[in-house]
Amino acid sequence: MTGMREPATRLDGRFSSPSAAATAWSDAAERLERAEVFWLSTVRADGRPHVTPLIAVWQDGALHFCTGPAEQKARNLAANPHCVLTTGTSALDAGEDLVVEGEAVAVTDEERLRALAEAYVVKYGEEWRFDVRDGAFTGQGGRALVFAVAPVRAFGFAKGEPFGQTRWRFDGAG
C-alpha cells in the first residue's frame, strides 16, 4: 500500500493476556481496508461529543470518508479537525476492534478524488458511485466533502484468548 507509514508498535501488558503478542500494523491496516462500517467521533462547538456511523475507504495510508457540508460532522470538523474513527465487531470474545486517532484533512485534488470515488464503488458497490466536481464528490445526495484521516495514534483491542491491547504511534506522536 502506498503512503503507508510504519509506526512504533507496543503491546500494553496492563491490558493483555500474558501470552498475547502485539498486532502488526500491516494486519491492522488490512482490517481497516476490509471493514465496512466505521464510527466517527468529533467534537461540537460547545464541547459535546458527536458520534455517527459511516462508510470509509483505506487508501494511501489514511481512512477517507465523505459528508454533506451542512451535516453536523462537517461543521464539527471545520472548527476542530481532530477526530477518532473506530471499527470492529460487536462480539465480546472474538475479533479485534480498531481505533484510529488523527486529524481530518479535506481532500480537494480531483485526480485523488476520482481514485477515491472508484475505491468506494469497488468496496461498496454501484450505489456508492460518485462524480467529482469542484473539489468534492457529487451524487444523488448532492455535494459531499471528502476527508482523509491519517493515523497519529491507533489502538487494537484483540478480544478472546489471548486478549491484548496494541498501541501504534506514528511520527513520534504520544
Side-chain angles (χ1 to χ4, degrees):
M1 284 176 233
T2 60
M4 192 79 135
R5 299 174 295 159
E6 277 305 312
T9 302
R10 178 176 66 86
L11 180 73
D12 190 330
R14 298 173 302 167
F15 308 110
S16 303
S17 298
S19 62
T23 300
W25 176 248
S26 59
D27 292 341
E30 286 178 20
R31 287 187 188 98
L32 291 172
E33 191 170 9
R34 288 191 318 265
E36 293 182 4
V37 176
F38 294 82
W39 292 86
L40 174 68
S41 300
T42 59
V43 179
R44 298 173 193 262
D46 65 5
R48 291 180 300 131
H50 177 260
V51 180
T52 188
L54 50 69
I55 62 174
V57 295
W58 174 259
Q59 191 174 82
D60 297 328
L63 283 166
H64 298 80
F65 63 90
C66 60
T67 184
E71 291 187 38
Q72 185 67 53
K73 57 188 166 287
R75 295 193 318 264
N76 295 348
L77 292 171
N80 180 351
H82 298 284
C83 62
V84 176
L85 285 147
T86 60
T87 191
T89 66
S90 62
L92 182 59
D93 61 356
E96 185 169 16
D97 296 332
L98 297 170
V99 176
V100 174
E101 297 179 0
E103 187 171 307
V105 176
V107 177
T108 58
D109 176 77
E110 295 202 0
E111 182 178 333
R112 188 167 169 207
L113 287 169
R114 281 190 287 279
L116 289 167
E118 183 58 30
Y120 268 87
V121 172
V122 168
K123 184 173 182 180
Y124 294 105
E126 283 295 324
E127 61 273 18
W128 291 99
R129 181 166 295 283
F130 296 102
D131 293 320
V132 173
R133 189 174 312 121
D134 299 325
F137 283 171
T138 59
Q140 292 179 355
R143 185 167 192 261
L145 306 174
V146 179
F147 293 93
V149 178
V152 172
R153 268 184 297 270
F155 301 89
F157 299 91
K159 301 181 291 185
E161 190 53 48
F163 61 91
Q165 180 181 319
T166 301
R167 176 186 180 124
W168 300 279
R169 293 180 353 167
F170 296 79
D171 296 338

